[in-house]
Amino acid sequence: MAIVIVTGVSGAGKSRAVNALEDIGFYCVDNMPPALIPKFAELCLQTNGKIQNVAIVTDVRGGTLFNSLFSDLEKLRKQGGDYKILFLDADDAVLMRRFKETRRMHPLSKPGGSIQEALSTERKILRPARERADYIIDTSNLSPAQLKQRLSVLFLGDKKTGLVVNCMSFGFKYGPATEGDLVFDVRCFPNPFYVDALKHLTGLDAAVKDFVFSSDATCKFLVKLFDMIDFLLPQYVEEGKSQLIVAIGCTGGKHRSVAIAEALYRHLLEKGVRAAVNHRDIQKN
């Protein structure tokens, strides 16, 4: 039985993550005190295989009960529970906007206190969980569909294959890819944006891809990129890393970065690597 412990910052999308996990076959429970996790897992194991995948959300809403998270997870491990920790995060500015839009209070808000103060307190409490997480997903720029796609790749594949590589394109004009483990700036290569016939297309279109890879410099970069990623992946697997985010950035996140991220994604699939591709800013103006 696969057990996913879902935690993270309030407003980062844990509810959306649970909905996505339910859609791909997980039995989900929200806001469970950590002390109940080992007992709940034991009950699930007694269903004779009827419950195969479980996702449990636990976070600061549990108050002081949340403080025992890792001691309770150690009990779970000792009784044979195989679990992974999924941590949801987002930029403070995005979180504050979400709270204002939904008009919901932060669970750690105090009378007269600000959301920023509550977030700061929450991040301190959650720091150990973030540091020990198997998967960290920053939802600042992810749509619900993109989040579901990320979760599907992480939890629907063969668990024995280990590392999952997410190839992400982005535009520097919309902010850096803070979640990227490896970040590559491809703004130095010829830009299709300045070709009238290509300006309103994207790196998913054949004409743009042809333009991007007509450059010798871009093609040489791609060869070197493939070679470096091929070299690094076994090292990350040996280290026990569960996911690797390779972020490719150009100016607007529509042309060069998209084409190169797609090329890397196809290369990884050909190598038999579990991979996903995500174009953060392709729909932005």
Side-chain angles (χ1 to χ4, degrees):
M1 182 176 70
I3 303 171
V4 179
I5 307 300
V6 182
T7 190
V9 184
S10 300
K14 294 188 292 290
S15 296
R16 286 181 174 176
V18 165
N19 291 338
L21 289 169
E22 282 186 341
D23 288 345
I24 61 175
F26 276 75
Y27 186 97
C28 300
V29 181
D30 188 20
N31 200 15
M32 178 177 287
L36 295 180
I37 293 175
K39 176 58 68 173
F40 178 72
E42 184 180 334
L43 292 173
C44 291
L45 288 170
Q46 293 173 4
T47 64
N48 296 319
K50 292 181 181 179
I51 297 179
Q52 292 288 333
N53 301 307
V54 175
I56 300 169
V57 182
T58 184
D59 52 35
V60 298
R61 289 175 294 171
T64 57
L65 295 174
F66 184 71
N67 296 339
S68 66
L69 175 64
F70 290 109
S71 61
D72 292 318
L73 289 180
E74 183 60 26
K75 294 176 185 177
L76 174 62
R77 193 179 295 281
K78 287 181 178 179
Q79 69 184 38
D82 179 23
Y83 70 87
K84 297 288 187 182
I85 298 176
L86 169 66
F87 191 98
L88 278 295
D89 204 348
D91 293 337
D92 279 3
V94 174
L95 295 170
M96 292 175 69
R97 186 183 72 242
R98 290 175 182 174
F99 274 107
K100 290 178 181 178
E101 289 174 349
T102 60
R103 298 186 179 181
R104 296 193 66 187
M105 290 185 62
H106 190 284
L108 298 183
S109 291
K110 297 179 180 179
S114 68
I115 295 176
Q116 185 63 63
E117 291 172 340
L119 285 171
S120 179
T121 300
E122 183 178 36
R123 288 196 182 280
K124 291 178 183 177
I125 295 171
L126 290 172
R127 186 177 295 121
R130 196 182 197 282
E131 291 173 349
R132 294 176 62 172
D134 298 282
Y135 309 106
I136 298 174
I137 297 181
D138 187 315
T139 66
S140 301
N141 294 288
L142 291 183
S143 68
Q146 289 172 329
L147 176 59
K148 182 176 181 179
Q149 193 255 359
R150 290 277 292 275
L151 293 171
S152 296
V153 171
L154 286 175
F155 299 114
L156 278 184
D158 180 0
K159 306 299 185 301
K160 295 180 181 179
T161 59
L163 184 69
V164 178
V165 182
N166 184 59
C167 308
M168 184 181 80
S169 70
F170 71 98
F172 279 97
K173 68 185 290 186
Y174 300 111
T178 55
E179 68 270 45
D181 296 296
L182 301 172
V183 181
F184 297 92
D185 183 350
V186 298
R187 289 176 292 183
C188 56
F189 301 128
N191 191 352
F193 178 83
Y194 296 108
V195 178
D196 289 340
L198 305 178
K199 181 176 182 177
H200 299 293
L201 301 178
T202 74
L204 299 177
D205 294 299
V208 172
K209 287 188 284 188
D210 289 345
F211 178 92
V212 169
F213 297 120
S214 66
S215 162
D216 288 341
T218 307
C219 291
K220 288 179 181 178
F221 166 77
L222 204 61
V223 171
K224 294 178 184 293
L225 175 65
F226 290 173
D227 183 59
M228 182 171 68
I229 297 299
D230 290 345
F231 168 76
L232 288 175
L233 289 185
Q235 319 307 318
Y236 286 125
V237 171
E238 182 67 22
E239 183 196 16
K241 193 172 181 64
S242 299
Q243 71 166 341
L244 179 72
I245 300 176
V246 182
I248 312 291
C250 62
T251 304
K254 286 179 174 292
H255 300 106
R256 294 164 291 182
S257 62
V258 172
I260 292 171
E262 285 283 335
L264 177 60
Y265 170 63
R266 291 193 300 272
H267 171 76
L268 292 172
L269 291 183
E270 291 172 359
K271 291 283 186 175
V273 176
R274 285 177 63 198
V277 64
N278 169 45
H279 304 300
R280 192 189 78 178
D281 301 321
I282 195 171
Q283 298 297 332
K284 295 180 181 176
N285 294 323

